[in-house]
Amino acid sequence: MADVGGPKERKEEEEEDDVVCLDPSFFMNREYEMTTFTYGSQVLHLLCSSSASSLLDYDLTGQLVWPGAVLMNTYLSEHPETVKGRSIIELGSGIGITGILCSRFCKEVVLTDHNDEVLEIIKKNIELQSSSENAEAVLTAEKLEWGNNDHISNIMKEHPVGFDLIVGADIYLSFQLFYFCCCYFQF
């Protein structure tokens, strides 16, 4: 007859059986809806979520459109000369609404976010724009975690002349971000 261990060993095994591990995807909302946004004469069709997943360490606030982006896009649609013909990098792009609007007037837009799940949404929204007759710019998505030298180096390698403008709506501005911008972008 096999030895099944003493009472202490059996109790530890029972406790291990009670542990429930959930896959990180359990906390993510991947139910994106095609949503229409209108800014002046510009109509954008983008995938976004009606609510952001944000539990534990899963910062997916970029899954939806925040008020600062609405204000910035309203301004840009009324003043397209602000970005006309320029190259732009957008920090914290979320679903890409501001960068995609800018692409209607610019020559190049690089949309960035630090979250891989949000980057997937950006890439899907970029694909949706490829069939649009309104897109003037080259649109790309890049991973960028502020202060991550590898991410910054990759972007600068792909865009060695830099960018004419840095845009960002509803992003957390800190000294670290200001320092990052001053160190890595030419003004």
Side-chain angles (χ1 to χ4, degrees):
M1 181 168 183
D3 183 16
V4 291
K8 184 179 178 184
E9 290 175 26
R10 273 185 258 133
K11 185 176 180 181
E12 287 176 9
E13 286 178 23
E14 289 173 10
E15 286 177 6
E16 286 181 22
D17 290 341
D18 291 342
V19 174
V20 177
C21 295
L22 297 174
D23 184 84
S25 64
F26 177 81
F27 299 102
M28 294 182 197
N29 180 0
R30 289 194 174 107
E31 295 182 19
Y32 305 115
E33 300 170 358
M34 184 64 71
T35 306
T36 301
F37 300 92
T38 304
Y39 297 100
S41 64
Q42 302 300 316
V43 178
L44 306 174
H45 303 286
L46 303 171
L47 293 171
C48 71
S49 177
S50 59
S51 66
S53 305
S54 89
L55 213 56
L56 302 173
D57 290 331
Y58 303 23
D59 175 19
L60 298 175
T61 54
Q63 292 177 306
L64 46 89
V65 177
W66 292 91
V70 173
L71 290 172
M72 181 179 280
N73 289 358
T74 299
Y75 175 83
L76 291 170
S77 69
E78 293 170 358
H79 304 280
E81 68 281 358
T82 306
V83 295
K84 182 102 174 125
R86 297 180 186 257
S87 62
I88 291 176
I89 185 168
E90 181 184 12
L91 305 179
S93 299
I95 67 164
I97 190 167
T98 299
I100 290 170
L101 177 65
C102 288
S103 74
R104 303 287 174 94
F105 314 110
C106 297
K107 64 180 179 182
E108 175 186 31
V109 180
V110 177
L111 301 125
T112 68
D113 208 283
H114 72 97
N115 186 289
D116 292 328
E117 181 74 19
V118 173
L119 280 167
E120 290 304 313
I121 301 167
I122 294 171
K123 289 174 184 175
K124 288 177 184 175
N125 282 331
I126 288 173
E127 286 176 28
L128 290 170
Q129 304 314 303
S130 64
S131 62
S132 171
E133 60 192 49
N134 294 326
E136 297 290 326
V138 175
L139 278 166
T140 56
E142 300 284 345
K143 183 172 182 89
L144 177 60
E145 188 169 325
W146 301 336
N148 182 313
N149 288 330
D150 292 335
H151 295 169
I152 295 164
S153 295
N154 288 338
I155 291 172
M156 295 312 292
K157 186 183 344 177
E158 293 294 318
H159 308 276
V161 296
F163 303 94
D164 298 321
L165 291 173
I166 303 169
V167 297
D170 288 305
I171 57 175
Y172 177 73
L173 185 59
S174 67
F175 179 75
Q176 180 183 6
L177 175 59
F178 179 74
Y179 179 77
F180 157 75
C181 291
C182 290
C183 289
Y184 294 101
F185 298 105
Q186 293 179 318
F187 293 99

